Amino acid sequence: MGYECCACNHCGKFSCLRTITALAPLAYVGISSYSGFQEHASSFLSGILEDHILSSINLLIQEKASGRDGVNYMRLLGVPSFDENSIPGCLRHPNIAPVLGLLKTPGYINLLLPRTPYTLENILHYSPNALKSDWHIRFLMYQLLSALTYLHGLGVHHGNLCPSNVMLTDSCWAWLRIWDYHRLGFNLCFEHGKSNSSHIPSRVGCSVEDCSSQGLYADLKLSPPLDWNSQFNRWWRGELSNFEYLLFLNKLVGRRWGDHTFHPVMPWVIDFSTKPNEDSDSGWRDLSKSKWRLAKGDEQLDFTYSSSEVPHHVSDECLSELAVCSYKARRLPLSVLRMAVRSVYEPNEYPSTMQRLYQWTPDECIPEFYCDPRIFYSQHSGMTDLAVPSWAGSPEEFIKLHREALESNRVSCQIHHWIDINFGYKMSGPAAVAAKNVMLSSSEPAKPRSIGRRQLFTKPHPSRQVSMQGIPDRMKESAVGQHQAHEVETEKYFLYKSTCLQELEQASSFSEHAQHLRPVYCHAQQNLLKQNPSFKESQTENLESASNPHDISNYCRFSPDVGLNYLLEHIDMQDDDSTGYQELLLWRKKSCLSRTSSKEDAEDIFSVGCLLAELYLRRPLFCSTSLGMYLESGVFPGLMQELPSHIKILVEACIEKDSMRRPSAKSLLESPFFPSTVKSVYLFTAPLQLMATNGSRLQYAANFAKQGALKAMGTLAAEMCAPYCLSLASAPLSDAEAEWAYLLLKEFIKCLTPKAVKASVLPVIQKILQTTGYSHLKVSLLQDSFVREIWNQIGKQAYLETIHPLVISNLYISPHKISAAAASVLLICSSEELGVPITVHQTILPLIHCFGKGLCPDGIDVLVRIGGLLGETFILKQMLPLLKHVAHSCIGVSSMNKPEPMHSWCSSALVDCLMTLDGLVAFLPREAIVKDLIEDQSCLHVLALTQTNLEITVLQVAATTLMAICQRIGPELTALHVLPQLKVLFDELAFSQEISNGSGSLGKSLKVSKSKVNGEFQLESRMDLVLLLYPSFCSLLGIEKLRQCCTTWLLLEQFLLRFHNWKWEYTGESPRSGVENVIAKVPLLSKGSTSDYSPAKLLLNGVGWSIPQSQGIRSSKNLMPQRRLANAHQSSVQTYESASKHFKTEPWFWFPSPAASWDGSDHLGRFVSPKDEFPWKIRASILSSVRAHQGALRSLAVCQDENTVFTAGIGPGFKGTVQKWDLTRINCVSGYYGHEEVVNDICILSLSGRIASCDGMIHVWDSQTGKLISVFSEPSTDSLHLVSPLSSSTKIGADHVDMLNSNTSSSGVLSSPFDESLYTCMHYLEEVEKLVVGTGNGSLRFLDVSQGRKLHLWKGEFSESAFPSLVSAICSCGSNKEQGNGASASPSWIAAGLSSGHCRLFDVRSGSVTACWRAHDGYVTKLAAPEDHLLVSSSLDRTLKIWDLRSCHFQGTYRWSIQFLSLGTGCYFNI
């Protein structure tokens, strides 16, 4: 570690060998070789290097004999406490970057470390929002201080703690990369703000010649840090070329060679049309505009900016991966080109000349075109060399001329404009808009990134000082030229003198402005050990106090036994342990007692303070100049004033000028700055960072969570642990690992808040359910018990939006048999509790949409069993219309001239539809089957059989299912309704060409015995329908009856006798037996699915599954098998009678609507855009209709679970009533009858169970008990009067509740004229828990419902009319949306619609009206905000408009004109 000490030790504690072992316990020491490198890399990727440690921790949690590894690792985490005097062991600290190997090569030691995707420097530059909150910053600092405490305990200081040395893993866990610049000889001295970096050591290693670890040190050649100030000054004075300065700026922004996604960028300076000539304007590129702007044009960029949802000009980086690979195509491997440019390699598609390349790309140039002629030579056959312009004889000459153009005075005078666009102030703000350089922002700003745009400057970059360097050399070749040059130089000299001071002042100001580009995080004391006697004395004191530093007894400590109970007590924390300012001040005073033991450790603490300040400021605290001033005069930099007060205390303590007064790393760890949640999360997640297998990690996390760790640490800490744990569950797992993952998911669902479950757990569940093939974990998640836990925690609405569609997806597109069975059982069992409307909308319709898309038999079984579960009326009124529509559509497509894929899809969809109908028939009585499926020439099966273009498979399914229906309805009804419709088919078959010819290839083939699958004849041609249908009808009806109905019976029987040796013989058997000889069960389309085994049916019939039951009628239906039994007819009749009685008792009815059957007219409308009109349609499927009130229905509100609806209307005595409806049973369960006037609006107040209803006053009442809680009114005389307490006439006693189950009816109108002081409508702001109500005079009143008091009043401005307009609708931005973390978005504006047709926009911060415009010609009925910048309004003028609020004049960019669709007809409401 390079300490210049008099003995081979580190701060007098441990030997060099022991220290290296403690820092790199996993390192393999040996000779470097490629095979050895591969071996170490594979060991790291396998996750076995530290698996034994995690296994020991698992045993410790299970209170089993675990050995010492688990206990020792917990001590590294501060359990029972951080001990700086402990014995260094052979366990890696979780926040020290693991060293996998020390591989020796001649003269060097190569350290083999794992690569991490990010560093803290990347995060600060490209995605600072990845540090999502103050808590995440504290957690990061806690990890770094834990590592520093461990290092300082070993007697080692880091020496260069800066953002680039903090490595971050995929989960943003911190690894501290160990460097020691100070002791390696790289010293910084600050004299008047200047840095001295000239001292580079000639040899690096241990100072003791006989040290056994001497060979482990490398002769490192360290490069000094980037010093922007000196590089800028050199470039500005003309001492540094443009090329070198631009490369330096590329380094500052993080661009790197070899990375095609973030390659260094250079400007195109010429267009290659002519040879660059400074005396001519032709051929030079305009550097004041971006290459993107030059290629696209201002008009196109303006259109993109104005028409985009997110305004932007540029959609990609100034240099994309595609452009880089295209530029370097002749030197890159073909595999890279296929991956980055195009999957099919086509050499002719790559530009062949430089001029064509410049014209083709909207991207900037790369440095290779200024320095490397090899880029022109192709190494691929078929791709020619890149041709240079005609004015260059060779690539070498072109590189020379191109580089001279870059360094020319013309470019030097303009290059600062290009820097402003690509690195400077024109990257953001108004300057970017003016330069048409606004880039499309990232859709995930909180996602960590290692590349991106970094803006270096916020002020205009100064132009280069080129006044004395612009004389061409050719002018000096002659005496005349020398004389002219002298005159020019003299003239330029005077001009230079007159402007030099101004330019120098601008450059100096700019240099001062960009001080953040040369950050400093530590200051080295010159030769601390040699020149500072006080330090030597302090070390001597430490050595004396330690007695023999290598005596192990000095570091032995007794600690309490670390077990499960001790860990749970240590992790048992509270969420609300925020840091107090006074506590930090008290800690600051006490921290002097635990000061650092050495000045070298104090330098690390100084770096900690700088790093902490930068995390909050988002820019470095010190540069070399400000640090020099601070060390000389003690003046803090001005940025200190921008820090929060509690952070300022900590930073001041860390950067204390007197280094010995700075707190130790251990003291910082134990400070009140770190809440208990940080410590508990660190204890839980640190073992997950061990290099162990996923199985061991899952077992540890699940075991610890099962023992109550997540519950003990609280909801906030558990939420922070989720990203580190749940990512393990989404990886491929074995069955045993899946059990651990399932247990872990359940524990997180129990311990997290609903918002946290939505943000953290649901995405993991979605990813698991999306996996293809069999997954034990997926089957576990599809269990009813797990889904109910999700319902209880986040509600059914969130489940339906996120999980339910994925459950359905496991039933189509090649699903696995076991997964499909589990999904089908879950859908069937949950249908009753979800209710009829949700089941139809969320389950039935999606499954029907899957027809023809590979829907498995279990998917069809779901439709059939849900139909049987919900009853006959549900099948007749909801399912049959949908299925008939699908069948008619498919049959119609088959007769059209459509592409083959369309015909194939329609055939598959028709088969699925017929099989579903076949299953549903078992639950219907004969009369219903005849009425809805057969009579009036409407039999779908017959219609399908008469089609000549359908596939044979479809015909076979149609024939077999038709015979099953006939068997179901009996011979009489079959002869009466079915046979007449089959006459056309029988006539067609009887007079077909095959029968009339009686010979040929078809006749020969028909004589061959038909193949059977499971005893069922397989059709080979359309003529086989005769064999499938005619004998079956003979067995069902009898030969005489069939001959009477079928006039062509003779031809058909002759055909059967001749080709199939069939003739009718009466044997006395039951007619059914004859049918069964021909008809088997419904054929299966896939060859491999011929088994009768159905896991879903087995489970539903009581094997291993609990089926929820409701009414007795549905319970009996639930157990009815799908296959037809001998008593199926009798059971159906009984079911029909029971269902009829059941439905008669319910206060609602089902009915088919034109929209539901899709046979009626659509609701037509117009889509109006600025240029064109496009017709569009609305198709509504009415599931049920119910009479809610006697009079008109005025308002309706739906709960989040979609099962509960509140309606407001006119009740008895012309008074307002509110009804509560349960959609699972479609009946009124309760109501509120405390209103004296008509109720205008209803509002559901979050999940509290409280309801607000408005009749001019606001009534807040409990939806469960019906008790009135409070009443709000707006007195006309005093608008500031607070809500009055309930008067004796309006108070509700405990023994009187306005909750009735009334079915009386009447009609009525508003009983009193409307007053301007009355409330008109409401809108609930869920994120702030406030109610906004509109008034009759156009104002908005805010109410705190929980506190029962009125808040502020926002007065609106009068509209054009002389009378004020009442507020008829209210909405807010973000009211119906959630952020990515599950939290509701806070509104930034509130919109109010008025009865005059106007809309007003209020600013939430000030309450002022920011805009007001006439939106409609009539009363505004509804407002909604689908996006932050969009407002949707509807009106009684039968228009619906969408407004883009970013437009200055608020012109409707989109407008729909539709027929007015009422909420309900009269007193009914529709679902």
Side-chain angles (χ1 to χ4, degrees):
M1 291 301 156
Y3 276 86
E4 299 177 0
C5 303
C6 58
C8 183
N9 54 58
H10 294 271
C11 293
K13 284 192 174 182
F14 307 106
S15 66
C16 184
L17 184 59
R18 179 179 284 274
T19 303
I20 292 177
T21 303
L23 291 175
L26 306 176
Y28 167 81
V29 180
I31 304 300
S32 178
S33 66
Y34 181 73
S35 60
F37 176 85
Q38 284 186 319
E39 180 181 353
H40 305 318
S42 61
S43 297
F44 166 72
L45 296 175
S46 65
I48 60 175
L49 296 177
E50 296 176 319
D51 199 65
H52 63 285
I53 304 175
L54 200 53
S55 299
S56 178
I57 298 175
N58 273 324
L59 294 174
L60 179 67
I61 293 173
Q62 298 175 28
E63 298 185 292
K64 299 178 181 179
S66 61
R68 300 301 301 173
D69 283 344
V71 176
N72 291 336
Y73 188 81
M74 288 298 168
R75 286 175 179 168
L76 291 179
L77 306 182
V79 178
S81 64
F82 289 99
D83 190 357
E84 295 178 329
N85 296 318
S86 61
I87 305 172
C90 295
L91 299 181
R92 180 183 64 89
H93 190 280
N95 297 113
I96 298 293
V99 180
L100 305 180
L102 298 170
L103 306 179
K104 177 68 176 178
T105 58
Y108 293 94
I109 290 290
N110 300 302
L111 272 68
L112 182 61
L113 291 91
R115 182 182 181 273
T116 58
Y118 321 106
T119 65
L120 183 57
E121 185 178 51
N122 298 151
I123 301 300
L124 291 173
H125 287 172
Y126 311 126
S127 53
N129 292 328
L131 297 172
K132 302 175 184 177
S133 65
D134 178 79
W135 190 96
H136 289 87
I137 294 177
R138 299 187 190 212
F139 186 59
L140 175 63
M141 291 304 303
Y142 190 86
Q143 297 178 60
L144 298 181
L145 286 171
S146 179
L148 272 185
T149 302
Y150 180 70
L151 288 178
H152 293 176
L154 293 175
V156 177
H157 79 283
H158 189 277
N160 189 34
L161 184 59
C162 61
S164 60
N165 279 335
V166 179
M167 306 165 66
L168 297 177
T169 64
D170 290 318
S171 58
C172 286
W173 183 266
W175 281 349
L176 186 59
R177 181 163 45 197
I178 301 177
W179 295 101
D180 197 0
Y181 283 104
H182 293 190
R183 301 274 60 82
L184 291 176
F186 182 74
N187 300 319
L188 288 177
C189 306
F190 298 97
E191 299 177 359
H192 305 289
K194 297 181 180 180
S195 64
N196 180 14
S197 59
S198 60
H199 178 61
I200 302 297
S202 58
R203 184 181 64 85
V204 178
C206 185
S207 59
V208 179
E209 296 295 336
D210 298 331
C211 177
S212 59
S213 303
Q214 184 68 47
L216 296 180
Y217 293 97
D219 186 14
L220 301 177
K221 303 297 182 182
L222 301 176
S223 59
L226 301 177
D227 185 4
W228 175 83
N229 189 54
S230 62
Q231 300 291 336
F232 167 73
N233 289 332
R234 291 180 58 204
W235 172 81
W236 183 76
R237 293 194 301 265
E239 300 172 4
L240 190 70
S241 66
N242 290 334
F243 182 79
E244 293 172 315
Y245 182 63
L246 292 177
L247 282 181
F248 182 79
L249 294 181
N250 275 278
K251 290 181 182 180
L252 285 179
V253 299
R255 293 185 173 271
R256 44 193 178 263
W257 297 87
D259 186 352
H260 297 151
T261 62
F262 209 42
H263 195 78
V265 60
M266 287 283 173
W268 295 106
V269 295
I270 56 176
D271 61 9
F272 308 104
S273 59
T274 60
K275 184 177 182 179
N277 184 1
E278 290 196 60
D279 297 333
S280 173
D281 293 335
S282 63
W284 293 95
R285 173 250 175 110
D286 185 1
L287 291 173
S288 64
K289 298 180 180 180
S290 66
K291 183 65 168 66
W292 186 277
R293 182 178 179 182
L294 293 174
K296 302 295 183 180
D298 288 1
E299 183 178 356
Q300 180 176 344
L301 295 187
D302 289 338
F303 175 78
T304 302
Y305 185 83
S306 61
S307 61
S308 302
E309 182 178 352
V310 179
H312 68 280
H313 300 107
V314 184
S315 58
D316 203 350
E317 287 286 348
C318 59
L319 184 61
S320 64
E321 181 184 12
L322 173 65
V324 173
C325 292
S326 299
Y327 295 164
K328 302 171 65 175
R330 287 155 180 81
R331 308 302 299 176
L332 292 178
L334 294 181
S335 58
V336 176
L337 296 181
R338 291 191 181 99
M339 182 172 57
V341 181
R342 186 180 175 185
S343 58
V344 179
Y345 170 66
E346 178 55 54
N348 295 327
E349 292 185 356
Y350 293 86
S352 58
T353 65
M354 282 300 298
Q355 187 172 5
R356 177 72 185 95
L357 185 68
Y358 174 82
Q359 296 171 350
W360 165 80
T361 177
D363 291 23
E364 293 289 353
C365 187
I366 58 176
E368 285 85 343
F369 284 123
Y370 291 100
C371 63
D372 187 6
R374 294 177 300 174
I375 197 172
F376 291 87
Y377 297 105
S378 174
Q379 62 181 8
H380 307 307
S381 59
M383 181 183 291
T384 61
D385 294 343
L386 183 62
V388 298
S390 57
W391 41 264
S394 65
E396 289 76 12
E397 183 182 357
F398 171 81
I399 292 294
K400 177 178 178 296
L401 295 174
H402 200 204
R403 178 70 175 271
E404 289 176 354
L406 178 63
E407 305 299 338
S408 64
N409 282 342
R410 178 182 289 271
V411 172
S412 296
C413 292
Q414 299 183 24
I415 194 64
H416 62 284
H417 297 303
W418 186 88
I419 294 174
D420 288 335
I421 294 173
N422 294 279
F423 301 114
Y425 81 107
K426 291 183 180 179
M427 295 177 66
S428 62
V433 178
K436 305 187 189 307
N437 194 43
V438 177
M439 185 176 177
L440 180 64
S441 57
S442 172
S443 59
E444 298 178 294
K447 181 180 179 180
R449 294 193 303 273
S450 60
I451 62 174
R453 270 194 161 192
R454 184 191 178 193
Q455 183 174 342
L456 299 179
F457 316 112
T458 57
K459 291 184 178 180
H461 193 285
S463 60
R464 193 180 188 187
Q465 191 180 22
V466 295
S467 56
M468 300 298 292
Q469 302 178 3
I471 303 173
D473 292 337
R474 64 178 182 271
M475 293 182 63
K476 302 179 183 180
E477 295 178 356
S478 61
V480 177
Q482 292 178 2
H483 178 70
Q484 293 176 351
H486 177 71
E487 292 180 352
V488 171
E489 287 182 359
T490 303
E491 181 179 357
K492 287 187 176 182
Y493 177 79
F494 287 111
L495 293 175
Y496 170 75
K497 283 296 183 180
S498 62
T499 59
C500 182
L501 292 179
Q502 182 180 359
E503 294 179 356
L504 184 61
E505 182 179 356
Q506 292 177 353
S508 177
S509 174
F510 181 77
S511 178
E512 186 70 23
H513 147 74
Q515 292 294 328
H516 62 279
L517 296 179
R518 47 173 184 166
V520 178
Y521 299 94
C522 62
H523 60 92
Q525 306 294 331
Q526 298 184 27
N527 299 322
L528 286 175
L529 297 176
K530 296 182 179 180
Q531 300 181 10
N532 194 334
S534 61
F535 178 63
K536 288 185 178 181
E537 293 174 1
S538 65
Q539 272 203 324
T540 304
E541 293 175 1
N542 291 335
L543 291 176
E544 292 176 355
S545 63
S547 182
N548 184 1
H550 303 292
D551 186 0
I552 295 180
S553 62
N554 293 323
Y555 305 100
C556 292
R557 300 288 188 274
F558 292 99
S559 61
D561 292 335
V562 178
L564 175 62
N565 293 331
Y566 189 86
L567 291 176
L568 291 178
E569 292 176 2
H570 196 82
I571 210 172
D572 188 3
M573 304 295 177
Q574 300 296 326
D575 287 349
D576 53 349
D577 50 356
S578 57
T579 305
Y581 183 77
Q582 297 299 327
E583 288 87 350
L584 278 174
L585 285 177
L586 183 61
W587 168 85
R588 173 74 187 280
K589 294 179 181 179
K590 294 181 178 179
S591 63
C592 299
L593 302 177
S594 59
R595 58 188 182 180
T596 54
S597 59
S598 70
K599 290 191 176 181
E600 292 175 319
D601 291 350
E603 290 179 13
D604 285 343
I605 301 302
F606 183 90
S607 301
V608 168
C610 296
L611 202 56
L612 177 62
E614 184 170 356
L615 288 174
Y616 282 92
L617 295 171
R618 303 293 173 88
R619 60 184 303 171
L621 178 64
F622 283 113
C623 64
S624 58
T625 302
S626 59
L627 180 58
M629 294 177 58
Y630 172 65
L631 295 178
E632 288 182 6
S633 59
V635 177
F636 288 114
L639 292 175
M640 286 286 290
Q641 305 303 320
E642 300 179 16
L643 289 171
S645 56
H646 61 289
I647 305 299
K648 187 178 179 182
I649 293 176
L650 213 64
V651 173
E652 288 179 352
C654 292
I655 65 173
E656 177 72 41
K657 188 176 180 182
D658 184 357
S659 60
M660 300 309 296
R661 293 177 58 84
R662 296 170 191 162
S664 64
K666 179 183 177 181
S667 175
L668 289 169
L669 277 177
E670 297 172 349
S671 69
F673 174 72
F674 296 107
S676 56
T677 52
V678 167
K679 301 174 183 178
S680 58
V681 171
Y682 182 74
L683 175 60
F684 187 92
T685 56
L688 295 173
Q689 311 308 317
L690 289 167
M691 288 181 283
T693 61
N694 279 351
S696 297
R697 295 178 186 177
L698 270 175
Q699 185 179 4
Y700 157 77
N703 271 331
F704 209 3
K706 183 180 179 181
Q707 298 295 341
L710 295 178
K711 183 178 180 181
M713 69 175 62
T715 56
L716 174 61
E719 181 181 351
M720 298 306 170
C721 289
Y724 296 96
C725 303
L726 296 180
S727 59
L728 302 172
S730 58
L733 305 172
S734 64
D735 288 355
E737 294 169 350
E739 293 295 335
W740 295 116
Y742 177 71
L743 176 60
L744 185 63
L745 287 170
K746 290 185 66 174
E747 291 297 326
F748 271 107
I749 291 175
K750 293 177 183 177
C751 299
L752 295 180
T753 62
K755 291 181 179 179
V757 172
K758 294 178 185 178
S760 301
V761 182
L762 288 191
V764 177
I765 297 176
Q766 289 176 300
K767 187 175 181 179
I768 296 170
L769 294 179
Q770 288 171 347
T771 57
T772 57
Y774 171 74
S775 168
H776 182 82
L777 180 57
K778 179 165 68 173
V779 174
S780 300
L781 298 184
L782 291 172
Q783 302 299 316
D784 181 73
S785 58
F786 183 80
V787 170
R788 290 182 186 277
E789 289 190 18
I790 296 179
W791 289 358
N792 296 334
Q793 188 69 356
I794 64 173
K796 296 176 183 176
Q797 181 183 9
Y799 162 79
L800 292 171
E801 293 173 353
T802 57
I803 305 300
H804 194 75
L806 298 177
V807 176
I808 295 176
S809 69
N810 280 275
L811 295 174
Y812 67 98
I813 310 179
S814 302
H816 191 272
K817 188 175 185 179
I818 300 178
S819 301
S824 64
V825 172
L826 175 60
L827 292 173
I828 296 168
C829 294
S830 62
S831 60
E832 270 195 315
E833 186 164 347
L834 289 176
V836 172
I838 295 179
T839 298
V840 172
H841 180 66
Q842 302 284 2
T843 303
I844 301 296
L845 286 176
L847 285 174
I848 290 178
H849 289 160
C850 295
F851 282 178
K853 301 176 183 178
L855 186 66
C856 67
D858 283 315
I860 295 176
D861 190 61
V862 170
L863 292 171
V864 173
R865 290 187 175 272
I866 289 179
L869 194 66
L870 298 180
E872 169 202 330
T873 306
F874 175 79
I875 296 175
L876 294 176
K877 301 304 182 183
Q878 299 303 319
M879 298 190 69
L880 286 189
L882 295 173
L883 294 173
K884 289 167 66 175
H885 174 78
V886 172
H888 282 293
S889 299
C890 294
I891 293 173
V893 171
S894 67
S895 61
M896 300 179 183
N897 185 18
K898 296 289 185 180
E900 178 58 31
M902 177 65 73
H903 282 284
S904 178
W905 172 83
C906 287
S907 298
S908 300
L910 185 55
V911 168
D912 291 339
C913 183
L914 294 175
M915 294 176 69
T916 304
L917 285 171
D918 181 55
L920 293 173
V921 165
F923 302 101
L924 299 176
R926 294 185 302 171
E927 294 77 6
I929 296 175
V930 172
K931 179 180 179 181
D932 287 89
L933 288 179
I934 299 177
E935 69 179 5
D936 298 331
Q937 302 293 319
S938 62
C939 183
L940 292 173
H941 304 76
V942 177
L943 181 62
L945 290 172
T946 56
Q947 302 299 313
T948 59
N949 297 324
L950 288 178
E951 297 179 1
I952 296 298
T953 307
V954 182
L955 296 178
Q956 180 161 1
V957 173
T960 53
T961 53
L962 175 62
M963 292 309 307
I965 291 177
C966 294
Q967 182 78 13
R968 179 77 174 82
I969 64 178
E972 293 79 9
L973 293 177
T974 300
L976 181 62
H977 296 285
V978 177
L979 282 182
Q981 299 184 44
L982 283 173
K983 184 179 181 303
V984 176
L985 176 64
F986 282 148
D987 291 347
E988 175 205 338
L989 295 175
F991 295 105
S992 64
Q993 188 68 26
E994 290 82 355
I995 292 183
S996 60
N997 291 338
S999 62
S1001 60
L1002 179 61
K1004 294 179 181 179
S1005 64
L1006 289 176
K1007 291 182 180 179
V1008 180
S1009 62
K1010 297 296 179 182
S1011 59
K1012 295 184 179 182
V1013 177
N1014 293 329
E1016 179 186 0
F1017 288 108
Q1018 296 298 303
L1019 298 184
E1020 296 180 0
S1021 69
R1022 183 173 177 80
M1023 286 304 303
D1024 287 347
L1025 288 174
V1026 179
L1027 178 62
L1028 191 59
L1029 293 175
Y1030 196 86
S1032 301
F1033 279 110
C1034 285
S1035 300
L1036 178 63
L1037 304 176
I1039 190 66
E1040 296 301 328
K1041 186 70 172 177
L1042 179 60
R1043 289 174 177 176
Q1044 292 176 7
C1045 298
C1046 179
T1047 58
T1048 57
W1049 62 270
L1050 181 59
L1051 294 175
L1052 296 176
E1053 290 183 12
Q1054 288 178 351
F1055 171 79
L1056 291 174
L1057 177 63
R1058 181 176 182 182
F1059 294 103
H1060 298 285
N1061 197 25
W1062 178 93
K1063 66 178 180 178
W1064 174 257
E1065 293 181 0
Y1066 180 75
T1067 60
E1069 296 177 351
S1070 170
R1072 180 174 300 177
S1073 63
V1075 178
E1076 290 175 351
N1077 289 332
V1078 179
I1079 303 177
K1081 61 183 182 179
V1082 177
L1084 300 176
L1085 300 182
S1086 60
K1087 294 182 180 180
S1089 56
T1090 60
S1091 172
D1092 285 339
Y1093 172 74
S1094 176
K1097 299 173 185 176
L1098 183 64
L1099 291 173
L1100 280 171
N1101 285 315
V1103 182
W1105 200 272
S1106 175
I1107 305 173
Q1109 306 293 335
S1110 57
Q1111 295 98 355
I1113 171 180
R1114 295 184 179 180
S1115 300
S1116 63
K1117 290 181 181 180
N1118 186 42
L1119 298 178
M1120 178 179 287
Q1122 181 180 351
R1123 300 184 59 132
R1124 295 166 185 79
L1125 304 177
N1127 59 351
H1129 174 61
Q1130 181 179 0
S1131 300
S1132 298
V1133 174
Q1134 294 174 355
T1135 301
Y1136 174 67
E1137 293 175 354
S1138 302
S1140 300
K1141 295 178 181 178
H1142 173 69
F1143 284 118
K1144 288 178 181 178
T1145 61
E1146 295 185 347
W1148 58 275
F1149 62 91
W1150 293 86
F1151 65 97
S1153 67
S1157 62
W1158 295 354
D1159 295 329
S1161 60
D1162 298 316
H1163 301 287
L1164 301 178
R1166 237 175 34 253
F1167 173 76
V1168 184
S1169 65
K1171 296 181 180 180
D1172 305 306
E1173 292 189 4
F1174 303 97
W1176 61 286
K1177 300 178 180 180
I1178 296 179
R1179 281 177 171 170
S1181 179
I1182 300 178
L1183 302 181
S1184 67
S1185 181
V1186 58
R1187 184 182 182 89
H1189 299 271
Q1190 292 180 339
L1193 181 66
R1194 302 298 299 270
S1195 181
L1196 184 146
V1198 183
C1199 289
Q1200 289 187 358
D1201 61 3
E1202 297 187 18
N1203 277 335
T1204 306
V1205 174
F1206 292 88
T1207 61
I1210 300 176
F1214 305 105
K1215 295 184 178 180
T1217 61
V1218 181
Q1219 303 274 21
K1220 179 180 179 181
W1221 297 87
D1222 183 2
L1223 297 186
T1224 59
R1225 298 186 299 271
I1226 315 296
N1227 61 354
C1228 178
V1229 296
S1230 61
Y1232 175 74
Y1233 300 89
H1235 289 284
E1236 296 295 329
E1237 300 291 344
V1238 176
V1239 178
N1240 300 314
D1241 199 5
I1242 317 172
C1243 190
I1244 301 174
L1245 304 180
S1246 186
L1247 300 176
S1248 61
R1250 292 175 299 177
I1251 305 296
S1253 50
C1254 174
D1255 65 349
M1257 297 188 296
I1258 304 295
H1259 291 226
V1260 179
W1261 47 280
D1262 191 323
S1263 62
Q1264 301 296 328
T1265 63
K1267 292 183 179 180
L1268 181 63
I1269 299 174
S1270 59
V1271 175
F1272 296 85
S1273 62
E1274 194 74 22
S1276 58
T1277 56
D1278 186 7
S1279 62
L1280 298 178
H1281 183 63
L1282 295 179
V1283 59
S1284 59
L1286 296 177
S1287 62
S1288 58
S1289 60
T1290 60
K1291 284 187 177 180
I1292 307 299
D1295 56 344
H1296 175 70
V1297 177
D1298 287 318
M1299 176 180 276
L1300 302 174
N1301 290 318
S1302 173
N1303 290 322
T1304 58
S1305 61
S1306 67
S1307 60
V1309 293
L1310 193 65
S1311 58
S1312 63
F1314 196 81
D1315 195 309
E1316 294 182 2
S1317 63
L1318 296 181
Y1319 295 138
T1320 57
C1321 59
M1322 301 177 291
H1323 176 71
Y1324 185 61
L1325 302 176
E1326 184 176 356
E1327 56 279 349
V1328 295
E1329 297 184 353
K1330 299 295 186 294
L1331 187 67
V1332 185
V1333 295
T1335 66
N1337 59 7
S1339 302
L1340 296 182
R1341 167 67 75 182
F1342 286 76
L1343 305 177
D1344 187 343
V1345 178
S1346 59
Q1347 300 294 327
R1349 60 192 182 94
K1350 289 192 290 186
L1351 304 175
H1352 45 279
L1353 179 71
W1354 289 355
K1355 289 183 176 291
E1357 302 167 353
F1358 286 163
S1359 57
E1360 298 175 356
S1361 61
F1363 301 98
S1365 300
L1366 61 88
V1367 178
S1368 55
I1370 308 174
C1371 79
S1372 64
C1373 163
S1375 58
N1376 296 322
K1377 298 180 296 180
E1378 288 187 352
Q1379 297 173 339
N1381 57 1
S1384 297
S1386 298
S1388 58
W1389 50 262
I1390 295 177
L1394 306 179
S1395 58
S1396 62
H1398 287 75
C1399 284
R1400 288 184 185 145
L1401 207 63
F1402 291 85
D1403 185 3
V1404 170
R1405 294 168 297 179
S1406 62
S1408 58
V1409 178
T1410 59
C1412 181
W1413 71 99
R1414 186 173 185 85
H1416 297 274
D1417 295 331
Y1419 187 99
V1420 176
T1421 58
K1422 197 72 175 176
L1423 294 177
E1427 297 291 342
D1428 293 346
H1429 63 282
L1430 295 179
L1431 178 67
V1432 182
S1433 62
S1434 62
S1435 170
L1436 290 180
D1437 63 2
R1438 297 187 177 185
T1439 61
L1440 183 146
K1441 300 181 180 180
I1442 298 180
W1443 304 89
D1444 189 344
L1445 302 184
R1446 296 170 300 185
S1447 174
C1448 297
H1449 302 290
F1450 295 96
Q1451 297 295 328
T1453 56
Y1454 300 96
R1455 170 175 174 170
W1456 284 267
S1457 299
I1458 64 173
Q1459 295 180 357
F1460 177 67
L1461 303 178
S1462 62
L1463 179 64
T1465 304
C1467 53
Y1468 291 90
F1469 75 91
N1470 300 329
I1471 301 174

